[in-house]
Amino acid sequence: MLDVIQIEMQACEPSANRHRAWRVEAGQDLFGLWSARVTFGRIGCAGRSLSKIFPTEAAAHAFVRSGLRRRQTSVRRFGVPYRLVAASPAATPLLEITGVIAPSAPLAEQEHC
């Protein structure tokens, strides 16, 4: 894939035994199709992976945005916020739009759980 969007987030609360990870990779392949692969599950385990193919870049970006918005509701759903662990520079616009990072904030590696 060329110009790949990669985002990794984690939600950790050891006292409640909650250790969740979510990772998405999206980009265009050599044939011009856009695809996204989401891997999620407990930190330290293989987890589950889902792959999807999209006809346009806009559709792929919408899919990633919806996943990021879902991560923002984690406090309401299970009491632990997701935090950004790593992201590629190509992911910056999506992270800014969804409010995961402030506009023009540098992407820095944060602490792991």
Side-chain angles (χ1 to χ4, degrees), residues 16-92:
N17 196 25
R18 291 192 177 101
H19 305 278
R20 306 291 299 164
W22 182 80
R23 180 181 174 89
V24 65
E25 294 180 11
Q28 192 173 25
D29 65 13
L30 295 175
F31 300 106
L33 294 174
W34 282 84
S35 64
R37 180 180 179 96
V38 178
T39 304
F40 58 95
R42 188 168 173 88
I43 295 171
C45 296
R48 294 184 60 192
S49 291
L50 303 171
S51 296
K52 250 184 134 160
I53 295 182
F54 304 94
T56 64
E57 178 179 8
H61 284 202
F63 176 77
V64 173
R65 276 194 314 273
S66 70
L68 289 169
R69 286 192 185 108
R70 177 76 172 165
R71 303 292 76 73
Q72 290 178 321
T73 65
S74 66
V75 174
R76 180 175 47 86
R77 291 183 294 121
F78 60 90
V80 182
Y82 271 89
R83 289 184 170 70
L84 184 64
V85 175
S88 66
T92 301

